[in-house]
């Protein structure tokens, strides 16, 4: 690691203590997400998923990858989230100005359909997708095919 890289990591460790994160232990009694929601979002550091939804530790399972895409690995993570973490609802968050996706809204529709079509998840009836705009708004994106009620 370069000296600049090492300094950046040290700064993160210092900030961790400044904001009190070091004082938030794992809740060993509760492994289920309080809201029953799993969120799949882009890994872009500009996207503050926890702040966006006002989440605290233990509120939701958050799965992040490039683009927030529904890949086989995402489906495996969602399966574990549902079977072990008690989640029953899935929220997908893509965003404008994404380096990983050419058309985030269209990819979001594809991802929603992919979740509805998979046989690997116990629950896929409650899937919603949102596009985070440059201005900070969340715009719901619905698939073009008819959804299950």
């Amino acid at each position: 690691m370069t000296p600049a890289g090492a300094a950046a990591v040290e700064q993160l460790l210092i900030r961790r203590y400044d904001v009190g994160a070091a004082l938030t232990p794992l809740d060993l009694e509760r492994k289920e997400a309080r809201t029953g929601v799993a969120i799949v979002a882009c890994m872009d550091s500009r996207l503050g998923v926890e702040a966006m939804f006002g989440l605290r530790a233990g509120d939701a399972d958050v799965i992040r990858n490039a683009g927030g895409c529904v890949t086989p690995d995402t489906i495996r993570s969602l399966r574990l989230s549902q079977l072990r973490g008690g989640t029953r609802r899935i929220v997908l968050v893509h965003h404008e100005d994404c380096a990983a996706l050419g058309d985030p809204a269209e990819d979001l529709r594809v991802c929603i359909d992919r979740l509805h079509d998979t046989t690997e998840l116990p629950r896929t009836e409650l899937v919603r997708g949102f596009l985070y705009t440059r201005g900070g708004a969340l715009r719901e994106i619905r698939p073009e095919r008819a959804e299950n009620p």
Side-chain angles (χ1 to χ4, degrees), residues 72-84:
D73 189 53
T74 305
I75 291 173
R76 281 191 296 276
S77 294
L78 285 168
R79 180 174 174 76
L80 184 60
S81 173
Q82 289 183 353
L83 294 175
R84 300 276 174 92

Side-chain angles (χ1 to χ4, degrees), residues 90-101:
I90 301 169
V91 172
L92 303 176
V93 181
H94 284 28
H95 66 96
E96 293 180 340
D97 193 38
C98 183
L101 302 171

Side-chain angles (χ1 to χ4, degrees), residues 10-128:
E10 290 304 317
Q11 286 300 312
L12 289 176
L13 293 171
I14 290 167
R15 286 173 41 193
R16 176 177 183 263
Y17 287 99
D18 288 347
V19 298
L23 305 176
T24 308
L26 288 175
D27 182 347
L28 300 178
E29 300 299 317
R30 180 183 195 98
K31 292 190 186 333
E32 294 188 355
R34 275 188 288 276
T35 62
V37 174
I39 300 169
V40 178
C42 185
M43 66 185 198
D44 190 315
S45 62
R46 300 173 297 169
L47 202 61
V49 175
E50 288 80 3
M52 181 187 307
F53 293 107
L55 298 175
R56 297 180 328 251
D59 282 348
D61 288 349
V62 179
I63 301 160
R64 295 179 76 150
N65 64 26
C69 300
V70 175
T71 65
D73 189 53
T74 305
I75 291 173
R76 281 191 296 276
S77 294
L78 285 168
R79 180 174 174 76
L80 184 60
S81 173
Q82 289 183 353
L83 294 175
R84 300 276 174 92
T87 60
R88 298 291 177 257
R89 292 164 289 285
I90 301 169
V91 172
L92 303 176
V93 181
H94 284 28
H95 66 96
E96 293 180 340
D97 193 38
C98 183
L101 302 171
D103 185 346
E106 180 54 32
D107 188 75
L108 193 48
R109 287 184 186 91
V110 169
C111 288
I112 293 169
D113 287 343
R114 192 171 292 144
L115 285 174
H116 282 233
D117 291 342
T118 188
T119 59
E120 295 182 49
L121 296 177
R123 309 282 306 243
T124 59
E125 64 273 13
L126 296 167
V127 177
R128 294 178 71 182

